[in-house]
Amino acid sequence: MKRIIAIIFIVITSKSISQNSTEWMNPKPFPTTPRCVFYVDDKTGWIAGDYSVIIKTTDGGISWIEQKAPEGFYSKLFFTTSSNGWLVGRRDDTNRVGLVAYTSDGGNTWNDVWKESDKFSEFLDVDVENSNTVFIAGNRGVY
C-alpha cells in the first residue's frame, strides 16, 4: 500500500512540475526590456527596447534580425510603410536627452533627426499624419 501511494505521489508531482514549465518562442530571447512593438502588416514588424536594441521580422515573427539604430532607449516606433518609419526615445540613461530617428529603408539605416538637446528630456510617442506632419510627444510637451 505504501508503495502504491509513493508511486502515485511521484506521478502527480512530476506531472505538476512539467505543466509549470514554459518555453520562450520568438524572438529568443530579447536581450533587454522590450518597450514597443509595431507591425505594418501581418508579416513585417519591429520590436524596440532599451540599450539600442531593435529587431525586425518579415515572416510574421518566425525569425528576427537585429538592426543598427542610434544609441538610446526607445519608447515608440511608428511605420507608415514597410520602408518609412520613426523611432523616438532618449539618448542614454543618465542625461535623458531626447532621441528622434527616421528610416526610409525598413530600418536598415536610421537617420538621427533631433539635434536640439535641451528642448525635451525624453520623447514618449510618435504619430505620423502624412509625409509632412509628424507629431512627437515628450515629457515636456508636443513637438
Side-chain angles (χ1 to χ4, degrees):
M1 181 70 169
K2 288 182 184 181
R3 186 175 178 151
I4 293 174
I5 293 174
I7 291 172
I8 292 172
F9 176 76
I10 291 170
V11 170
I12 291 171
T13 304
S14 65
K15 182 74 170 167
S16 66
I17 290 172
S18 67
Q19 289 177 344
N20 289 333
S21 65
T22 58
E23 181 181 343
W24 186 277
M25 297 303 284
N26 279 316
K28 282 188 175 180
F30 195 73
T32 185
T33 304
R35 300 286 180 194
C36 50
V37 177
F38 191 91
Y39 272 79
V40 71
D41 57 40
D42 62 340
K43 298 283 185 190
T44 308
W46 295 261
I47 300 175
D50 294 341
Y51 303 104
S52 309
V53 175
I54 183 168
I55 58 176
K56 178 183 180 181
T57 183
T58 56
D59 57 13
I62 295 170
S63 63
W64 296 85
I65 56 167
E66 191 165 348
Q67 295 188 309
K68 181 79 172 131
E71 188 173 320
F73 294 76
Y74 309 134
S75 299
K76 188 74 176 226
L77 286 162
F78 190 96
F79 279 78
T80 55
T81 67
S82 61
S83 297
N84 299 307
W86 294 85
L87 175 66
V88 299
R90 64 182 191 270
R91 300 241 176 244
D92 61 41
D93 208 20
T94 56
N95 65 11
R96 299 174 70 81
V97 174
L99 166 74
V100 178
Y102 172 78
T103 183
S104 59
D105 61 8
N108 294 322
T109 58
W110 291 88
N111 300 306
D112 196 350
V113 297
W114 185 256
K115 303 297 181 195
E116 298 180 43
S117 63
D118 61 349
K119 200 148 196 164
F120 293 96
S121 56
E122 182 175 10
F123 292 109
L124 304 170
D125 200 0
V126 59
D127 189 25
V128 180
E129 187 167 314
N130 57 50
S131 60
N132 296 317
T133 307
V134 178
F135 295 100
I136 299 171
N139 60 359
R140 293 187 186 167
V142 176
Y143 184 75

